[in-house]
Amino acid sequence: MLLFIEVDRLKEELDSLRPITPEQEARILQKFRLDWNYNSNAIEGNSLTLGETRSLLLHGLTAAGKPMRDHLDIKGHNEAVLGLEEFVRDNGRPLTEQFIREMHQVLLGEAYEVPAQTPDGQPTRKHIVPGQYKTSPNNVLTATGEMFYFASPQETPARMTELVDWYRQEDVVPTLHPAALAAEFHYRFVHIHPFDDGNGRMSRLLMNLILLRHGYPMTVIKAADRNRYLAALAEADAGEFEPFLHFVVENVEAGLRLMIRAANGEDINEPDDLDKKITLLKKQVLSSETAVKMLWGEEETQEGFYDAIIKSWLDELEKQTHGFNDLFMGHDYSLIISSVNSHSNKIERKSNIEEFKSLSRNSFLETTATIDYFGFSKRWNHFRQQNNGFDVGISFGLTFNLDSFSVTGAIITDFTSTGSSAVYRSPEIFTSLYKAEYDLNHIKNINHKLANKVYDFIATKVAEADTPPA
């Protein structure tokens, strides 16, 4: 038959390359297993990505936020694939219903429940017992609203016996090409739908069992081809089996070509594998909260930063600390700003908050260089208590990196012309990626904490002054 000419040619080419070295065989089997485990489960709606499937099976890592049932399905499917490989190595072992039920139990694991509907459309729960034929109808409603009927629970044991007997007869006296035998067994199994769950995965496992027993590599039906796959099955339901046979043969050919590349020592990553992996990596990284979306040095990032955070910071700082002003003879504000490749720092001081905010904004926005540090402080001068005229200040420093910035804070005293000392210096109290908006409540809490440190310092100095010498 013309349909099988290319399959036979590829099979002969593969056979001529055998035996394959153990290393090559291990490499290709790992590739096939990972692809098969991912795709067969993804066809049924499993949410794990190919990368997450790889991490689970090769490293035992679970995917955060994904259902545990999805992880169990992947692990169960992998165990079933390994069991299938062992069955194939035992050439004399016949296919039986008992083996099919045992494989189903390995595939699904422990009993569980799934959402279901009663015949009149009411929501209910169905108890799934792996390894047992269905005990209630599992007919499905098609996209057109019609009900498609599988074998009834009463018919299922006899239909499965007929299926296995038919296959074993074909195995002894072949009348079909191996690819056609595998395709027809797959379809007949799905048409019976013998189990309450897992029928699609089982049909693809048994299809591969037949192909492997005839010397073919594993055949992986891709999740990306799900719609074509289901459409071909629907045509078979309508009496047109040829489209489904063509679909299976196409996938058998793809498996043969992949195995031939591996046997020749070539790269067995499919041409689109890297694109898929990059796409998944982008989705994982760029959708996370830690994704870098804005970079310092880009004009719009630096321009928007003052209004997005510094203005609010200064407003909130003044709001929380203006009560200290009356306790001192005076107060002032200062800033220090440095830019990349700058050999000097710009230092400015104002006594009025509005003038200081205007100075800060102009200093921040009018520079043509990339700012790497911006510090601002408020200092209170000479406390209004006899013989206790100390100074104190509160300061913040913002350090700008390419993809994030950090803030530290301090309570300063003993200002001199050569420097000052801190009675309290915080670790990094705020680190963030650059954003269009920031959590202003977080800024409020930071100011509140530092303002309380100022109060504690003042209260301590007052207590010391009021305490008579011993």
Side-chain angles (χ1 to χ4, degrees):
M1 186 176 179
L2 293 176
L3 177 62
F4 304 111
I5 290 177
E6 182 65 5
V7 171
D8 292 340
R9 186 192 69 77
L10 291 168
K11 177 67 161 51
E12 287 178 10
E13 183 180 348
L14 177 60
D15 289 342
S16 72
L17 296 169
R18 285 173 164 149
I20 298 172
T21 67
E23 181 183 352
Q24 287 173 318
E25 185 175 18
R27 194 160 55 99
I28 187 63
L29 283 177
Q30 183 181 85
K31 162 75 173 172
F32 272 116
R33 286 192 202 107
L34 286 171
D35 283 357
W36 188 3
N37 283 310
Y38 163 69
N39 284 283
S40 194
N41 282 281
I43 287 171
E44 307 302 328
N46 192 294
S47 65
L48 266 66
T49 66
L50 178 59
E52 289 166 344
T53 299
R54 182 187 301 273
S55 295
L56 176 65
L57 296 181
L58 299 187
H59 308 293
L61 302 175
T62 56
K66 298 295 179 72
M68 183 52 64
R69 182 71 243 173
D70 287 2
H71 292 85
L72 295 175
D73 283 345
I74 293 287
K75 293 176 75 172
H77 190 276
N78 188 57
E79 290 297 319
V81 170
L82 295 173
L84 181 149
E85 291 175 9
E86 184 179 348
F87 181 91
V88 170
R89 284 192 290 269
D90 186 356
N91 290 324
R93 186 176 178 184
L95 179 64
T96 64
E97 288 183 71
Q98 178 65 27
F99 173 76
I100 292 173
R101 289 195 295 269
E102 288 172 357
M103 180 181 284
H104 185 258
Q105 188 164 9
V106 171
L107 176 70
L108 297 189
E110 299 294 328
Y112 59 96
E113 291 190 342
V114 296
Q117 284 188 340
T118 62
D120 61 352
Q122 297 302 310
T124 186
R125 304 284 293 178
K126 176 180 280 192
H127 188 63
I128 307 297
V129 182
Q132 292 185 15
Y133 289 149
K134 60 188 172 186
T135 57
S136 59
N138 55 358
N139 308 316
V140 296
L141 199 63
T142 68
T144 62
E146 296 291 323
M147 184 65 73
F148 184 84
Y149 295 93
F150 298 112
S152 69
Q154 295 75 23
E155 296 170 327
T156 293
R159 293 277 298 275
M160 284 299 295
T161 299
E162 289 173 7
L163 175 61
V164 171
D165 287 347
W166 168 78
Y167 166 73
R168 291 171 68 171
Q169 184 176 349
E170 277 289 330
D171 199 34
V172 175
V173 185
T175 64
L176 296 172
H177 188 280
L181 176 62
E184 187 160 342
F185 190 98
H186 175 302
Y187 173 70
R188 290 192 184 197
F189 183 91
V190 168
H191 199 69
I192 298 169
H193 238 60
F195 299 106
D196 283 316
D197 196 16
N199 292 291
R201 284 165 285 171
M202 280 296 299
S203 67
R204 294 183 287 277
L205 283 163
L206 294 168
M207 178 186 76
N208 269 292
L209 181 150
I210 294 168
L211 289 168
L212 289 167
R213 278 217 150 163
H214 284 83
Y216 289 81
M218 297 177 189
T219 291
V220 178
I221 295 176
K222 300 295 182 67
D225 293 329
R226 181 179 185 273
N227 290 341
R228 286 182 58 216
Y229 173 50
L230 297 180
L233 281 170
E235 288 188 76
D237 289 334
E240 296 292 334
F241 184 70
E242 200 76 8
F244 182 67
L245 177 58
H246 277 267
F247 179 81
V248 171
V249 169
E250 174 189 323
N251 283 275
V252 171
E253 290 175 1
L256 283 164
R257 291 190 182 94
L258 186 61
M259 193 73 171
I260 289 168
R261 290 210 306 273
N264 283 320
E266 297 175 18
D267 182 10
I268 58 173
N269 285 316
E270 296 168 71
D272 62 346
D273 271 2
L274 180 59
D275 291 337
K276 288 179 181 177
K277 288 188 286 187
I278 291 174
T279 299
L280 290 171
L281 186 62
K282 284 181 180 178
K283 181 178 180 182
Q284 176 186 348
V285 174
L286 298 182
S287 63
S288 73
E289 292 183 359
T290 58
V292 175
K293 298 181 176 66
M294 301 172 70
L295 296 178
W296 197 244
E298 294 179 342
E299 188 175 346
E300 60 272 19
T301 304
Q302 188 164 306
E303 282 185 356
F305 190 85
Y306 181 90
D307 289 329
I309 191 167
I310 293 181
K311 180 179 181 298
S312 298
W313 206 301
L314 291 174
D315 287 342
E316 187 61 39
L317 177 64
E318 185 62 19
K319 179 180 178 182
Q320 297 210 29
T321 62
H322 74 279
F324 296 131
N325 295 351
D326 293 338
L327 295 171
F328 291 84
M329 302 292 285
H331 63 276
D332 56 47
Y333 309 86
S334 63
L335 69 82
I336 179 171
I337 185 169
S338 65
S339 302
V340 175
N341 299 324
S342 173
H343 298 291
S344 62
N345 296 327
K346 178 180 180 181
I347 302 173
E348 299 277 358
R349 180 171 284 113
K350 294 288 183 181
S351 59
N352 178 279
I353 183 60
E354 294 304 324
E355 291 179 358
F356 179 70
K357 285 194 292 184
S358 178
L359 170 68
S360 298
R361 191 174 196 281
N362 292 338
S363 299
F364 202 86
L365 298 182
E366 289 178 2
T367 179
T368 57
T370 300
I371 298 171
D372 59 11
Y373 180 82
F374 182 83
F376 58 91
S377 62
K378 179 177 181 180
R379 183 178 74 170
W380 292 272
N381 306 307
H382 204 88
F383 188 65
R384 291 178 180 272
Q385 186 177 33
Q386 188 174 3
N387 299 322
N388 195 24
F390 61 87
D391 299 343
V392 65
I394 184 169
S395 71
F396 292 96
L398 289 82
T399 301
F400 302 102
N401 303 305
L402 179 63
D403 60 355
S404 63
F405 69 96
S406 60
V407 182
T408 56
I411 305 304
I412 306 294
T413 187
D414 298 332
F415 294 87
T416 67
S417 59
T418 57
S420 59
S421 60
V423 293
Y424 171 79
R425 192 177 300 280
S426 75
E428 285 186 353
I429 53 177
F430 187 46
T431 302
S432 173
L433 296 174
Y434 300 108
K435 305 176 182 179
E437 296 180 356
Y438 296 89
D439 184 355
L440 299 184
N441 282 325
H442 188 43
I443 294 171
K444 179 179 179 180
N445 292 335
I446 291 170
N447 283 327
H448 184 70
K449 179 179 179 180
L450 269 293
N452 271 283
K453 292 289 185 182
V454 171
Y455 172 83
D456 292 342
F457 176 77
I458 294 173
T460 299
K461 297 291 284 185
V462 170
E464 290 173 352
D466 287 343
T467 302

